[in-house]
C-alpha cells in the first residue's frame, strides 16, 4: 500500500507531500491542472524511464520519494535479497528516484542504491497503473495465467513436482548418453585403468593406516637397536653382570675371614639380583619391539604403489577406491550399452507421461475456471456501458519446448467490442475508456486475486456519465475494500464514492505557474463535486446534488 508520496521539482510541482490511506482515493481537478504529473512522478519510483524534461525549469534535479507498506509479501523481501539489498517481509519500503536536469538518474530502496530494472520489477508487485498507455498489470498477457490460477485455486504443486521429476530423468538420460559417447572413445584406457585399480584393490583409509604402521615399525627398530646396546653392556662374559658375580664370589671368600665385610657382601649380592632383573626386563622389552622385516618391506612397497597410482590419476591415495568404483561403473554402463540407455529412456518416458497427466488435469481446471470467470465478467459489462462487448479467457496449448512447472497452457484475456467482431487481445482495444472499464470488470470478477496492493485507474470514466459513472464508482468502491485504489476522474459519481478526495489545481503568481495538490475536507469535497457537476459556475442546485451523491455513496 502506498502511504506517502513526496515530490520535489517535477514539471510544475515545486514541493508536494501527500499522505495516502487504504480504500478509494479520488484525484480531481480541471483539465490541464496537472493530474498526469502525479502519475509521471509515481511512475518514476516504479522504474519508468527518467526523462530530464520532467525536472522543473530552473532546478538542478527532481526528486520523487514514495513510501510503501508491502504487507506480508515475502516475495518482495526475496526480490531484494536476490539483488543484495536488505529487507524483511512486512518491512516498510522507501523508494527514491532522482532525475538530473543535465541527464541521468539514480535510485535507492531504503537508502540502498538500486537499478531502474529492479524498481520496475518491484513496482510491478506494489502498484498497477491502468490507463490507455499502460503495458503492465492486466494488459500484459504474461500474468494472465497466474490470475486465472489464483481465481481457480489451481493445485500447481503436484504439477511442478512431476515436471521436476521429468527433467531429472531427462538429465540422467542425457548424462548417460554423453558418458557412453565419451567412454566409447576412451574404452581402451578405461579398461586398463579399471584393471590396474582392480589389481591394486585400494581401500579407503589404507594409505594412512599403512603409513602409521610403518612409522611404528621404524621407531621400534631404532629403540631395539638401543636396547641391544644396553643389554650388551650387561650380558656376556665381559659384561657388567658377569663382573658383579665374579666380584661377589671373591668377596664371599674374603668375608669369611673378615667379619666387617658382611655388609659389603650383602650390598653386592643385591646389586647382582637387581642387575639380573634389569637384564630380564630389557630382554622382554626387546622381544616386544621385535617386528617382521619382511612385513616392513611389504608395507613400503604397498605405499609406493598406492602413492604412485594416485599421482598418475591426480587424486589423493584415499580417493583411489572411489575412483575405482566410478571408473568401473562407467565401464559397466559402456558394456551395458543400449540396454542401459533403453531403461533410462523408459524411465524418462514414464516421467513425461506422469507430467502430461498432471498437466491435463490442470488444463481441465483452468478451462472450467475460464468459463466461470467469463460469465462473471460478462455480468459486469452491461452496467459499464459495454453490453455489446464479450470477453473470453483464451487457453492455448503450447509446444513441448515451452512446457514448464506451471503446465503447458498459454492464457490470455481476449475481447470482442462489437457483435460479430473477432476476439482480440485486451491490449489491442482502441478506446482508452473502454480499456479501463474492461480492466475494472475483470478486477471485480477476480476479486481477491486483484494482484498488487495498490491500483491506479487513469480516467476510467472517460466518455461516460450518469448510470454508467455510478456503476463504475460502485465497482471501484467494492474493489477498494480489498486493495488500495487511486482513481483520476472527471466523474462526480466516482468522486463521491471516494474515502479520500484530492484536488489538483494550477496557480499563477505572475511569474511562475505551479501545480499543487491538497486533501479536501467534507465541505471542500462537496464544493469540488458541485463544480464537477455544474462546470465553471457552481449553483446551489449543484451543491445540493453533490451532497446527495456523497450521502448515497
Amino acid at each position: 500500500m502506498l502511504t506517502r508520496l513526496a515530490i520535489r521539482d517535477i514539471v510544475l510541482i515545486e514541493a508536494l507531500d501527500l499522505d495516502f490511506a487504504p480504500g478509494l482515493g479520488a484525484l480531481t481537478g480541471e483539465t490541464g491542472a496537472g493530474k498526469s504529473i502525479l502519475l509521471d512522478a509515481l511512475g518514476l519510483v516504479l522504474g519508468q524511464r527518467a526523462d530530464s524534461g520532467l525536472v522543473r525549469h530552473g532546478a538542478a534535479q527532481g526528486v520523487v520519494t514514495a513510501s510503501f507498506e508491502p504487507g506480508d509479501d515475502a516475495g518482495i523481501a526475496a526480490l531484494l535479497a536476490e539483488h543484495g539489498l536488505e529487507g524483511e517481509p512486512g518491512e516498510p519500503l522507501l523508494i527514491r528516484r532522482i532525475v538530473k536536469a543535465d541527464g541521468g538518474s539514480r535510485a535507492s530502496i531504503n537508502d540502498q542504491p538500486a537499478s531502474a530494472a529492479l524498481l520496475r520489477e518491484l513496482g510491478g508487485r506494489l502498484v498497477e497503473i491502468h490507463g490507455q498507455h499502460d503495458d503492465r498489470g492486466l494488459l500484459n498477457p504474461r500474468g494472465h495465467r497466474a490470475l486465472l490460477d489464483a481465481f481457480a485455486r489451481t493445485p500447481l504443486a503436484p504439477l511442478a513436482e512431476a515436471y521436476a521429476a521429468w527433467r531429472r530423468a531427462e538429465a540422467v538420460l542425457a548424462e548417460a548418453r554423453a558418458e557412453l559417447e565419451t567412454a566409447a572413445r576412451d574404452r581402451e584406457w578405461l579398461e586398463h585403468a579399471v584393471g590396474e585399480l582392480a589389481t591394486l584393490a585400494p581401500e579407503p583409509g589404507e594409505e594412512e593406516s599403512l603409513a602409521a604402521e610403518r612409522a611404528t615399525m621404524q621407531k621400534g627398530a631404532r629403540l631395539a637397536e638401543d636396547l641391544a646396546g644396553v643389554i650388551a653392556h650387561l650380558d656376556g662374559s665381559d659384561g657388567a653382570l658377569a663382573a658383579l658375580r665374579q666380584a661377589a664370589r671373591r668377596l664371599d671368600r674374603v668375608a669369611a675371614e673378615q667379619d666387617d665385610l658382611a655388609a659389603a657382601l650383602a650390598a653386592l649380592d643385591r646389586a647382582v639380583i637387581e642387575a639380573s632383573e634389569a637384564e630380564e626386563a630389557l630382554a622382554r622389552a626387546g622381544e616386544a619391539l621385535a617386528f617382521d622385516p619382511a612385513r616392513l618391506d611389504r608395507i613400503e612397497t604397498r605405499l609406493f604403489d598406492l602413492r604412485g597410482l594416485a599421482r598418475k590419476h591426480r587424486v589423493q591415495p584415499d580417493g583411489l577406491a572411489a575412483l575405482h568404483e566410478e571408473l568401473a561403473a562407467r565401464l559397466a554402463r559402456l558394456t551395458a550399452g543400449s540396454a542401459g540407455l533403453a531403461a533410462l529412456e523408459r524411465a524418462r518416458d514414464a516421467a513425461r507421461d506422469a507430467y502430461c497427466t498432471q498437466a491435463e488435469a490442470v488444463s481441465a481446471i483452468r478451462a472450467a475456471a475460464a468459463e466461470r470467470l467469463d460469465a462473471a465478467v460478462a455480468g459486469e459489462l452491461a452496467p459499464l456501458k459495454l453490453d455489446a462487448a464479450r470477453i473470453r479467457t483464451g487457453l492455448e496449448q503450447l509446444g513441448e519446448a515451452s512446457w514448464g512447472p506451471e503446465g503447458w497452457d498459454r492464457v490470455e484475456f481476449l475481447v470482442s467490442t462489437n457483435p460479430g467482431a473477432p476476439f482480440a487481445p485486451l491490449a489491442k482495444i482502441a478506446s482508452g475508456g473502454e480499456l479501463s472499464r474492461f480492466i475494472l470488470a475483470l478486477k471485480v470478477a477476480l476479486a481477491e486475486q486483484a494482484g498488487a496492493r495498490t491500483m491506479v485507474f487513469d480516467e476510467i470514466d472517460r466518455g461516460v456519465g450518469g448510470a454508467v459513472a455510478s456503476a463504475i464508482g460502485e465497482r471501484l468502491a467494492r474493489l477498494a475494500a480489498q486493495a488500495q485504489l487511486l482513481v483520476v476522474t472527471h466523474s462526480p459519481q466516482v468522486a463521491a464514492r471516494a474515502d479520500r478526495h484530492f484536488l489538483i489545481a494550477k496557480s499563477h503568481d505572475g511569474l511562475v505557474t505551479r501545480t499543487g495538490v491538497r486533501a479536501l475536507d467534507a465541505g471542500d469535497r462537496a464544493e469540488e463535486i458541485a463544480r464537477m457537476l455544474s462546470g465553471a459556475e457552481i449553483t446551489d442546485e449543484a451543491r445540493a446534488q453533490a451532497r446527495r451523491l456523497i450521502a448515497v455513496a
Side-chain angles (χ1 to χ4, degrees):
M1 182 183 73
L2 176 66
T3 59
R4 186 174 178 82
L5 185 66
I7 304 172
R8 299 291 184 271
D9 295 320
I10 295 294
V11 193
L12 299 178
I13 297 177
E14 185 174 357
L16 179 64
D17 295 283
L18 291 175
D19 293 316
F20 298 93
L24 178 60
L27 294 94
T28 66
E30 295 182 355
T31 301
K35 295 184 287 294
S36 63
I37 300 175
L38 280 180
L39 297 186
D40 289 339
L42 183 59
L44 280 176
V45 294
L46 299 179
Q48 293 181 9
R49 190 174 71 88
D51 186 347
S52 59
L54 291 173
V55 180
R56 189 174 64 87
H57 179 69
Q61 64 182 25
V63 183
V64 182
T65 306
S67 300
F68 292 92
E69 293 285 350
D72 56 357
D73 189 343
I76 290 178
L79 179 62
L80 295 178
E82 181 183 337
H83 288 80
L85 301 181
E86 297 179 358
E88 297 293 333
E91 181 180 280
L93 290 175
L94 185 70
I95 304 177
R96 180 175 289 110
R97 189 85 179 273
I98 299 174
V99 184
K100 296 181 180 180
D102 58 359
S105 70
R106 64 179 186 270
S108 66
I109 299 174
N110 289 346
D111 295 322
Q112 302 168 85
S115 66
L118 175 57
L119 258 58
R120 284 192 293 274
E121 192 171 356
L122 184 62
R125 302 185 72 101
L126 294 169
V127 180
E128 291 179 13
I129 299 180
H130 297 295
Q132 59 179 333
H133 303 301
D134 182 46
D135 62 353
R136 298 190 295 183
L138 281 173
L139 294 190
N140 191 340
R142 285 180 296 181
H144 291 181
R145 184 171 64 187
L147 287 169
L148 180 62
D149 284 336
F151 177 79
R153 291 180 170 81
T154 309
L156 292 174
L159 178 61
E161 292 171 3
Y163 179 79
W166 174 28
R167 289 307 175 204
R168 283 195 300 270
E170 282 276 16
V172 170
L173 176 59
E175 183 181 358
R177 282 174 174 161
E179 280 190 2
L180 192 62
E181 292 174 3
T182 302
R185 293 193 298 268
D186 301 333
R187 182 176 191 128
E188 184 177 348
W189 173 86
L190 194 59
E191 289 176 341
H192 172 75
V194 171
E196 191 175 38
L197 285 163
T199 300
L200 186 63
E203 299 178 359
E206 182 181 10
E207 191 258 356
E208 182 180 358
S209 174
L210 290 175
E213 185 178 354
R214 182 184 66 173
T216 299
M217 285 185 172
Q218 290 172 337
K219 180 180 178 182
R222 292 192 300 271
L223 291 175
E225 185 178 349
D226 292 338
L227 287 178
V230 174
I231 292 172
H233 286 299
L234 290 174
D235 200 10
S237 58
D238 295 330
L241 185 57
L244 283 173
R245 286 172 177 158
Q246 185 178 3
R249 285 194 297 273
R250 292 185 66 179
L251 183 60
D252 184 50
R253 290 195 298 272
V254 174
E257 300 176 3
Q258 186 70 29
D259 295 337
D260 57 356
L261 293 176
L265 179 61
L268 194 57
D269 287 340
R270 289 195 302 273
V272 170
I273 293 171
E274 290 180 0
S276 298
E277 291 176 353
E279 182 183 33
E280 292 174 0
L282 289 170
R284 288 194 301 272
E287 291 174 0
L289 291 172
F291 66 92
D292 181 4
R295 170 63 180 166
L296 179 59
D297 288 341
R298 289 194 299 272
I299 288 175
E300 290 184 335
T301 300
R302 180 70 174 174
L303 284 171
F304 179 83
D305 292 343
L306 285 170
R307 291 169 177 173
L309 196 57
R311 286 193 299 271
K312 178 178 179 179
H313 289 285
R314 298 181 180 180
V315 298
Q316 293 297 319
D318 277 350
L320 287 172
L323 178 65
H324 184 203
E325 292 181 3
E326 178 187 343
L327 296 183
R330 284 175 57 186
L331 184 59
R333 286 195 295 270
L334 178 61
T335 304
S338 58
L341 286 181
L344 292 176
E345 286 172 352
R346 288 193 296 271
R348 183 273 317 273
D349 292 342
R352 181 185 182 278
D353 291 343
Y355 170 79
C356 290
T357 298
Q358 291 290 340
E360 286 175 358
V362 165
S363 289
I365 292 172
R366 285 173 176 156
E371 291 183 3
R372 297 197 308 274
L373 179 59
D374 292 349
V377 175
E380 300 291 337
L381 295 179
L384 297 175
K385 202 179 178 181
L386 295 169
D387 46 307
R390 293 173 298 155
I391 191 165
R392 183 176 72 199
T393 304
L395 272 74
E396 173 191 0
Q397 183 171 328
L398 299 169
E400 185 167 333
S402 300
W403 295 359
E406 295 178 345
W408 55 34
D409 298 313
R410 181 179 184 273
V411 177
E412 185 171 8
F413 301 135
L414 304 172
V415 169
S416 170
T417 55
N418 296 297
F423 282 90
L426 193 61
K428 301 294 184 182
I429 297 176
S431 166
E434 285 184 340
L435 175 59
S436 294
R437 280 178 276 145
F438 269 116
I439 290 173
L440 178 58
L442 270 167
K443 285 292 185 182
V444 172
L446 289 167
E448 294 180 1
Q449 289 74 42
R453 296 179 62 85
T454 298
M455 287 180 281
V456 179
F457 286 89
D458 185 12
E459 298 188 1
I460 190 174
D461 49 9
R462 182 187 299 130
V464 300
V468 177
S470 294
I472 291 174
E474 187 270 333
R475 282 155 179 79
L476 287 170
R478 281 161 53 190
L479 264 185
Q482 305 196 34
Q484 181 188 48
L485 264 69
L486 298 175
V487 56
V488 177
T489 180
H490 291 287
S491 169
Q493 292 89 341
V494 172
R497 288 277 184 176
D499 300 299
R500 301 194 75 195
H501 193 152
F502 300 91
L503 176 62
I504 304 170
K506 272 184 185 176
S507 62
H508 307 268
D509 62 4
L511 295 174
V512 179
T513 300
R514 295 181 177 86
T515 290
V517 183
R518 64 186 179 91
L520 301 182
D521 58 23
D524 290 339
R525 183 183 177 203
E527 191 73 5
E528 168 62 6
I529 293 176
R531 181 200 64 77
M532 297 170 72
L533 285 166
S534 63
E537 183 179 350
I538 304 175
T539 65
D540 290 339
E541 182 181 352
R543 291 187 176 95
Q545 179 63 16
R547 289 191 292 270
R548 283 194 292 271
L549 284 175
I550 294 172
V552 170

